[in-house]
Amino acid sequence: MSRLPLCGSPFQPLHAVGARFDTPDALIAAFKRLRDAGYTAVDCYTPYPVHGLAETMRLPKSLLSFLVLGGGLTAIVLALSMQLIPSNLIYPIVVDGKPTGLAGLPQYVPIVVALTLMIGAVAAVKGMIILGGMPRLNHPMLAWDLFAKDASRGFFLAVSARDRNFSLGEVSEILEDAGAGDITAIHLEEPDSE
Amino acid sequence: MSASATNETETPDLSAIARPPQVLNNRGPLWVTDAVCSIVEGKTPLWWYAGITVSGAFAAAGLACILYMIVTGVGVWGSNSPAFWAWDITNFIFWVSMAHAGSFISAVLFLTRQKWSLSVSRAAEAMTVFAIVCAGVYPAIHIGRVWFVWFLFPVPNNYGMWPNFSSPLLWDVFAVSSYLTVSSLFWFAGMIPDLAVLRDRATTKIRKFCYGVASLGWLGTARQWRHYESMYVLLAGLTAVLVVTVTTIVASDCATSVIPGWHATIFPFYFMAGAVYSGSATVLTLLIPLRALYPQLKDLITPSQLEKVAKLLLMMGSCVAYVYVFELFCAWYSGNAFERGAFWERFHGTAAWYAITCLTINLTVPQLFWFKRIRTCLPLVFVLAILCNVGMWFERFMIVTTSLLHDFLPSSWGNFHPSIVDILTATGTVGIFFTLFLLFIRFVPVMSMNELKAALPGAQPQHSGEEH
Amino acid sequence: MKKIFPHPQRDAKPTLWRSLEERADTSSFRESLGREFSDAAAGRDSDGLSRRDFVRLMGAATALTGVGLTGCRRPEAHLVPFAKAAEWTIPGKFLYYASAMPAPTGAIPVIVTTSDGRPVKIEGNPLHPLSNGSTDAFAQASVLDLYDPHRSKEITHDSLKVSRGDLDNLVAKIRYTAGTNGGQGLAILVGKEQSPTVERLHAALAQQFPKLLWVQDEAISSPGSFDALLGPGARPSVDFTKADIILSVGADFLNPAESGFGFANGFAARRDPSGKMNRLYVAENHFSLTGGMADHRLRVRASEYGDFLAAVAAAVAAKTGDSTLKTLASGYKGTGAAFDPAWIKGVADDLIAAKGRGAVLAGSQLPDAVQALALGLNASLGNLGATITARQGMVKSAAKLADLAAAMQAGAVQTLLILGGNPVLTAPPDLDFPNLLARVPETLHLSLFADETSKVTHWQVPAAHYLESWGDTRSLDGTICAVQPMILPLWNGISSIEILAALAGEKVDGPSAVRATFNAGSKDASDAAWHSFLKHGFAAGTAFATAAPALNQAAAQAAVQSFKVESPGEFEAVFLRSSSVDDGRYSGNSWLQETPDFVTKLVWDNAVLVSPADAKAIGIHDGDWLRLTAGGRSVDAAALITPGHADRSVSIALGYGRKGVSHVMEKVGFDAYPLRSSSTICFRPGVKVERLSKDAYVFARTQEHENMEGRNIAREGTVEQFAEEPKFASEMDGELAPAKSIYPTPSYDKGLQWGLSIDLNSCIGCNACLLACRSENNVPVVGKDQVRKGRDMAWIRIDRWFASADHKEENLEMIPMAVMCQQCEIAPCEAVCPANATVHSEEGLNLMAYNRCIGTRYCANNCPWKVRRFNWFDYNERPLDELYFGPLAHKGMADSVQMSKNPNVTVRMRGVMEKCTFCIQRIEEAKIARSVAAKGSDVEKTPLPAFKTACQQACPSESIVFGSINDKESAVSRAKADPRTYTSLVHLGTRPRVTYMARVRNPNPAMPGASLVGAANRGQHA
């Protein structure tokens, strides 16, 4: 098992075993094999969204849309109160003889719409960033040079060493059978190194 | 990939109806990555320095004029009574409308799964953001007392006064700022994975750090991609709605007033059509030279895509033409002396040449795109696209100012002559726009690599469907 | 509050924006007060008078009263407040004093509003029999003259600054020499303002120095006089209340500056179609205010006025068989001009039909022969004594400028004191006055400004403004009015009375001189009488006796016979009294310079007015240069095509094109004086007009489009129309019915609801309201360049419409229409302001919160009447020639100009929108007074003290009515109930609080083109 090329510091605990595939099909196939072998802590890295991968991995549906809905609803409430309270309670004044209350609601709509869309959009992006585990400046996977340099060139797969029934041998065998290249044992890096 | 190639050759009958490929010469994903990144990573070409010097100079002159205007008074412009608004609001509407096409192309065409827009969308979004920046300059500075602009924001103050929420100008404040926010978010979020690619490929520490920070530590895990995709759909949806909303609100600046020539319910549609019209013209104006300057993009920005943009331009140009006719019809049909007078004077008054230029260009130029020969001759398209924007500028002026010049009481009719400050400020915004765009093509991927690669033939798994 | 940034003196030219000077040290100041005439300001070479110095002046003056120094020039020692009790002034409260503004054609009785000792506003004196509380434009603007930093400030002798003492010595010396030689070689030139004290002193002088040459003349005045025709000192006056048919030949009798303030009283009342309307025929060469009101107007060259009158006279004589008139008419050797016989017949028949109820008027400047014809007509029609009376006792005409010139020519003048006028500028060139003046050994000029004459006289003495000096003057009807100082002379001015008194050896002291005159003139010389004279501003019952005039037929015949008609030649040039600068005396007054001409709407310029036909013939457009040549002299000036102008005749206003006096007057118009000759004061026949190939001159006009384009903006009809359909005006709305609001709208039915009504039928477009508004509301002046750019700031403007149902010059009509903020209940401007800077008050006012305005200018765009004005630059704080310099421009307003501002109205800064608010400061003042009066009782129930808006107050014809429309009894409610009332642009549904009353004309069906009279809203379409 020491024939596996390794990266990071050998004196640090093993983080995961990584492998590289050329096509999304190979990646998915390998993933299925590992799953059948009972591995759960497996993650896939692709240069672009690969259709079906998420389904294969049985990832839950994204909650993002609910976040956006929430953001939008808050925005509506905020925008309406921001306009109705001053013009009716704090600073009521005759302008153009228009009603300021609900009778004059149409004049408040544009700002409500604008704010709703804005806050909705902010919620969407913020949500994506947080749910996606971002922002972070480093990641153990980046200790793996091949991955760090060429993430855009191939389809990568990593089996976490923290997986319940993790065995370095078995993992590398399965990966080799699945036709993976550059199977590497990824260790954590020295805390003090650079 | 070769497999998919053979597939196509086996079924020639399909090739007739087959959509033209998004990337020519069967380029692969690796090639796409290199091609796009090479613009950012390669050596800065000379023309780039030349370009940014010129545009920067114009921008500087414009900013100087704005400073002078602020310390001296709005009077340094040619604006007067009755033309209290002239080039300032004309340019505001011109730019903010141009912005719309960017969002339209990327958001609406994305939602409608128009793959041809993939290679265009990023540049279009950039154009949107920069155009909004240019537009945002004017509402901020055109007012008499810039230092009190905070009166526009609903913040508690010691006067105990609040803004007037029924004013279209206040709607503008919110519409434009939210439009700027959302479109920048849309643009930026779309770039995150590509920035990550640049981070990975970065050779110097500084680049690595900058792109690293910018890409927020994107890894491309399946989970990230899942959230990312749903975010993109949501954003696209919101942006699509926003485009229409913002145009409508800006149009209401005119439509809610009582001035003949402004006071018309068709204005939202009028502005929308004009917006996408001038915007797609700008996209062509930007992409055709870009493609020429970076040969590697020739396979990515394909003639067929540009032709589609040209068709979009033709369609919107025809909508605009329709509104011109409709406006005149309404004026006549209204039987209202003031309405009729306004449009009569528009073409007879002292500022008639603005309207005449506008109509001559906007009624003829886009119609040329009915002919495939013209539409596909890129240099010609480039020139015509510029013409279209000139025409649009004149249209904005025609709407905003010539309507003001001839309103109800002939006694207060007037004329307008731009001052040098007007002109330099206007060219200044153009300078700002191109400066920003040059920086954009130099420092971020000009097109969305991940979307392109995902759309390549054979990029997606063949049997993914079988699972569950 | 007020910041003063010191900056280097600008010696290049005098500017309106000078920094504060150091204060004079107190000792010298005390000493100066101790002297006869305060020297406080003259000691310093400052253009502006600092407010601190001013307050010190007043304060010290008060303080010193007790010490017993002669504070004789201190107003507060002698004045009695008009409206308030005789208590000492309350800071911030206005005090009102009665006074009068002397004018050559008759003084204007005024009430001066003073704030903390500063006169800030002029208003008419309603108590005066001749006044309805109104003023003319010049009176309104005279406040600025008082505070003008360009006023001459020090006595100079051969352009060396000398002291007051030196002047006293000079006068003493003159008196001594005159005493020795009986006034041989002493000549005094004064204006035609009638001042009893000056007359008294004149008499005294004449008695002491029999050989004294006393000259009284004006730049624009009648060449002859009525002394021969109507008897010595008699002047015709017309009772317009009795006159049904009026024929005016070149007589702009509605223009107070022309005919005298109050001359046209009663005319407006007779224009009300609900009563018996008079009918006005006008024959004139250019559109005048009177011509604009005409029911029938004929374009006649000035040199053919006589022919026209002769023709009418002949027609009348032919019908009535009046032989005297016949001979009179036939005696007139005219130019042989022919007129539309139908016209002549129509007028003649109408005049005959209205025997004893008509009036024929000839322009006051026209030659005696023409006057004789007019009077002959009146005599024959029995109008003399009926509608036309004669005011006796006018001063008999003294020697004229020509006589003076002759004496100077003969070397008979050693000493010349010019106490009025500016002869070097205004004297007809053929008199060669400047050179003659140079030959006089001792010359003195007393004037407000160092003008052309001051430059060449040996002595130049700053005159005291009428608001800072004692005097008395006669109004048109002869009533003696008090002229009281409101303030110490800002720059040490001296009044002519003082000089004359010194010369006559009297106590040199304004008040006592005036008091002496008063005592001599009135039966009751008690202090009480004197005080009521001052309090009311006039002495009741001192008006001239009026008598039925008897026309001296022989004299009339003689005048007509002897009159030699110059052939009019190809062109004639008519010299007009400018509606902005009069004869040039107001050239330095920027308020007036920026007030548009009645007809051309031209500001900061005059122009050669050319009829459209002539313009076509000569081949010129607006602004093209013309050279007018006559008598070997020529004038180059830009032309302006003026509808309704007589053909083969050009008109040009006098008093422009002055050079090297002050930079306010630089590059302003063209000097027409060189064209005049002593024999052709009013117009000059035989003028050569040629076109110059210079590039066109750009005029600054406040209104460039004069055609209503078929829109019913100003509405008019005829008496018949009015009789069959009184509501004809509002019916013109037609299908453009008022729009309904889909929203519930405020009812505005509680409390005070302000509204205003303008009667187009009596409005003559005389600009008085413009000036009143400018003065009341601190409206800034922007200068010619800015007006060219369309940035004038006037809150109320007078749109002047030309309308002609058949697009022909013959039937052209002029309709002035005053437009100010319409105070819409549903105001389009309010909805669009993002900052809530313009909002509505519960009293229905469209308020403007200047310090909330950020200047988006959207409100002005959305104003259908375009009555909002934007401060494109810092017009108040920066020199008008440095507007574009930004922060590099000099900052700050001359302190003396600051003193002229109304303290109750904000002075707006740049970047702020402004507009009419119905003089809200006056509204609030009245409401405060009411709350005080209420004394805790129900304020709502307490009646509001009477007050007027500035424009309403100034309007001579009372066309503007303001008040609460919620009070059904109020004048404004009654006006709005009038059937002629209509709302402009009513279809917009903005519910304006300003409404207009349509104009009604009274055509004579027998006249040619009668069907086209009052048809402004017919026939013409865009």
Side-chain angles (χ1 to χ4, degrees), chain B residues 409, chain C residues 755-758 769-770 773 777 794-799 817-824 846 863-869 915-919 949-952 959-962 984 992-996:
Chain B
L409 301 192
Chain C
L756 188 142
S757 164
I758 299 175
C769 49
L770 268 70
C773 180
N777 293 304
W795 281 9
I796 174 173
R797 65 171 196 265
I798 297 182
D799 286 350
M817 178 180 187
V819 182
M820 75 279 281
C821 174
Q822 307 281 304
Q823 310 288 347
C824 311
N846 171 231
C863 172
W865 291 265
K866 289 285 173 287
V867 288
R868 288 177 158 265
R869 299 287 181 235
K915 69 164 189 74
C916 159
T917 52
F918 279 170
C919 286
T949 63
C951 50
Q952 175 189 19
S959 321
I960 302 178
V961 185
F962 169 82
S984 68
R993 283 287 177 92
V994 175
T995 54
Y996 293 88

Side-chain angles (χ1 to χ4, degrees), chain C residues 412-445:
Chain C
V413 178
Q414 308 320 325
T415 309
L416 173 57
L417 308 182
I418 303 172
L419 303 184
N422 180 7
V424 171
L425 171 73
T426 62
D430 55 336
L431 294 184
D432 193 20
F433 195 83
N435 292 332
L436 294 176
L437 192 60
R439 283 200 242 130
V440 178
E442 193 108 62
T443 54
L444 176 146
H445 188 224

Side-chain angles (χ1 to χ4, degrees), chain B residues 68 70-82 84-85 88 142-145 147-148 151-152 157 161-164 166-170 252-254 256-259 262 335-338 341-342 404 407-413, chain C residues 702-703 705 707-709 711 713 735-736 789-791 797 799 801 828 830-836 850-858 860-866 868-870 872-873 883-884 886-887 909-913 985 987-988:
Chain B
Y68 169 61
I70 288 174
V71 298
T72 309
V74 188
V76 301
W77 285 343
S79 316
N80 58 30
S81 169
F84 287 90
W85 284 352
D88 45 2
H142 90 284
I143 64 176
R145 306 199 296 173
W147 47 97
F148 284 130
F151 284 177
L152 291 176
N157 56 61
M161 295 179 89
W162 290 75
N164 171 13
S166 66
S167 166
L169 276 188
L170 199 70
S252 65
D253 280 351
C254 292
T256 60
S257 82
V258 300
I259 303 301
W262 278 16
N336 175 330
F338 303 94
L404 287 173
D407 68 343
F408 296 91
L409 301 192
S411 55
S412 50
W413 287 1
Chain C
T702 57
Q703 180 187 356
H705 200 97
N707 180 346
M708 280 193 280
E709 299 294 352
R711 310 172 175 194
I713 296 160
E735 72 277 8
L736 289 179
K789 292 191 161 75
R791 295 174 178 174
R797 65 171 196 265
D799 286 350
W801 300 108
E830 292 171 1
V832 298
C833 174
N836 261 342
Y850 300 126
N851 52 1
R852 176 70 177 178
C853 176
I854 60 174
T856 66
R857 314 191 290 292
Y858 198 177
N861 283 337
N862 209 23
C863 172
W865 291 265
K866 289 285 173 287
R868 288 177 158 265
R869 299 287 181 235
F870 185 65
W872 298 96
F873 289 104
L883 290 174
Y884 287 81
M909 76 178 292
R910 94 168 140 95
V912 171
M913 191 63 70
L985 305 182
H987 69 282
L988 294 174

Side-chain angles (χ1 to χ4, degrees), chain C residues 54 113-120 147 487 898-901 903:
Chain C
F54 165 73
T113 307
T114 65
S115 163
D116 304 341
R118 309 189 308 272
V120 291
Y147 295 110
I487 187 172
Q898 290 180 8
M899 285 161 64
S900 72
K901 300 289 180 190

Side-chain angles (χ1 to χ4, degrees), chain C residues 37 84 154 232 273 316 412 431 569 652 664 697 722 765 814 816 924 936:
Chain C
F37 304 105
K84 306 252 185 300
E154 55 219 15
V316 170
L431 294 184
I652 182 165
V664 178
Y697 184 89
F722 180 74
M814 184 172 94
E924 292 309 311

